[in-house]
Amino acid sequence: FTGAGLPKTAIEWWSRAGTQAMHRFANHEAALSYANGLNLMAELPPGEERDRQQLAFRLALGPALLAARGYASDEVEINYQEAGRCAVALFDREAEFTSARGQWHYLYDRGQLDRALALAERLCAIGADDASAEKSCLAFRALGSTLMSKGEFVRAIEAFDGVITRGRQASLGT
C-alpha cells in the first residue's frame, strides 16, 4: 500500500504490523513499522484525525523504542516530546501523562535530574487531577526516585510514602 501510493491504507497496515511485532517482542521491527506509518502521515491532510492518529502511533512507538534503543536514547526523547505536544493540543490528559512519563524516563536515565524533577512534579499534578491510583503511584515513584538521586532523602521518603498510601487506598477501595 505504501508503494501503491495509498497512505491511509498503508498507515493502517503499518499499525497492524507494529502491534503484531510488539506482541512477539520484536521491538526493533515494531519501531520500524510505527516509524514507517508516522512518515506517511505527512501525506495526509492536516487536521484532528491525523493528529489523533499521530498521537496513537507515537504512544505505541514509545515502548518499542524504550526496549529496542534504551531509555536514554535520543529517539525516545524526541518521540515522547512530539507525543506530548500532540496530547496537549488535543487536550488528552491520559496521553499527556504517558508522554510526560516517557520523557521522565529519558531524563532520569540520562542523569538530567533537574529536568527530571520538573517532569516528576508535572506527573504528580496530572495524577492529582485524575482519580487513578496507578497514575498517582507512578508519579510519586518518579518523584521519589528523582529526589533520592538528587540526595534529597527526606522529600524522597515522603514521595515514596505517597506511593504506599495511594496504593493502599486503591487496594482497600477508598
Side-chain angles (χ1 to χ4, degrees):
F1 295 111
T2 301
L6 300 169
K8 193 170 185 173
T9 305
I11 290 167
E12 178 183 329
W13 282 95
W14 283 121
S15 176
R16 290 181 187 185
T19 300
Q20 188 175 44
M22 285 298 290
H23 288 304
R24 294 186 173 142
F25 301 101
N27 299 304
H28 179 73
E29 290 77 7
L32 288 174
S33 295
Y34 290 127
N36 284 331
L38 279 167
N39 289 335
L40 285 173
M41 286 182 199
E43 297 180 28
L44 299 178
E48 186 175 338
E49 181 182 346
R50 182 180 79 178
D51 293 346
R52 288 203 180 280
Q53 198 168 30
Q54 181 182 14
L55 177 59
F57 263 73
R58 291 215 173 270
L59 293 178
L61 174 60
L65 287 175
L66 289 171
R69 309 284 197 281
Y71 284 87
S73 162
D74 289 338
E75 290 174 87
V76 167
E77 179 186 34
I78 291 165
N79 182 66
Y80 279 120
Q81 283 177 343
E82 289 299 318
R85 280 194 267 283
C86 289
V88 168
L90 294 167
F91 303 102
D92 187 331
R93 294 290 278 180
E94 185 76 26
E96 188 178 345
F97 184 87
T98 302
S99 61
R101 188 160 176 260
Q103 289 175 61
W104 174 82
H105 277 292
Y106 167 84
L107 294 168
Y108 182 77
D109 281 18
R110 279 279 178 109
Q112 297 178 18
L113 298 178
D114 291 333
R115 289 179 62 204
L117 180 59
L119 262 176
E121 290 169 342
R122 184 167 158 229
L123 285 169
C124 288
I126 295 170
D129 292 342
D130 192 296
S132 167
E134 180 183 4
K135 277 192 195 113
S136 291
C137 288
L138 290 169
F140 281 126
R141 181 199 159 265
L143 182 60
S145 296
T146 307
L147 290 167
M148 185 177 63
S149 294
K150 288 178 65 70
E152 297 183 34
F153 301 116
V154 173
R155 287 182 61 205
I157 290 169
E158 291 170 0
F160 289 133
D161 283 344
V163 174
I164 294 167
T165 301
R166 192 64 172 107
R168 275 193 191 134
Q169 290 171 344
S171 69
L172 297 173
T174 58

